[in-house]
Amino acid sequence: PASGSITAPDGDTLAYCVQNVLPNTTYDFGFRYLQDQGGAIYCVVTWASDTACQVLPAGRFFVQSGANPTGTSWSSIAGAGTSPAGIISAQVLCEVAGNVNIDQVYMNTVISGF
């Protein structure tokens, strides 16, 4: 809570439309998370050809945590995908199984790590 992280309850879906995505470019997407009950986080990044992330042509990549035990330490998760031609944004959807805090979310063209 002191970090300004997002708190998502079990069964929640988080959504965000990333603007100014370049076509034919590899993007890294990741974040840090902390769970207070067992579960997993499943995210999909879908490329879009409009600014509202409504027109979703074929192409996406997945990032998932798998089943995680509860704990007091933050964990990291990341994945990468290359946007096809004609893309200008990306829709990020994450489903939460188990209460979780999410922080330090990034989507960029440089592998940043933590």
Side-chain angles (χ1 to χ4, degrees):
S3 71
S5 63
I6 297 169
T7 300
D10 182 33
D12 203 6
T13 299
L14 307 172
Y16 188 76
C17 182
V18 179
Q19 303 293 317
N20 302 315
V21 173
L22 300 172
N24 305 312
T25 303
T26 299
Y27 281 88
D28 297 295
F29 169 72
F31 52 89
R32 293 180 57 81
Y33 65 96
L34 175 68
Q35 291 186 277
D36 69 357
Q37 74 181 57
I41 306 166
Y42 302 98
C43 298
V44 60
V45 178
T46 306
W47 307 115
S49 58
D50 68 317
T51 58
C53 291
Q54 298 296 311
V55 181
L56 306 171
R60 64 181 151 250
F61 67 95
F62 298 90
V63 176
Q64 66 184 46
S65 67
N68 291 301
T70 60
T72 57
S73 298
W74 288 83
S75 299
S76 301
I77 184 173
T82 302
S83 59
I87 296 305
I88 61 172
S89 63
Q91 181 185 60
V92 178
L93 291 174
C94 295
E95 293 183 3
V96 175
N99 297 332
V100 66
N101 290 329
I102 298 174
D103 203 357
Q104 299 177 7
V105 178
Y106 66 89
M107 183 167 170
N108 57 32
T109 59
V110 178
I111 298 174
S112 63
F114 296 103

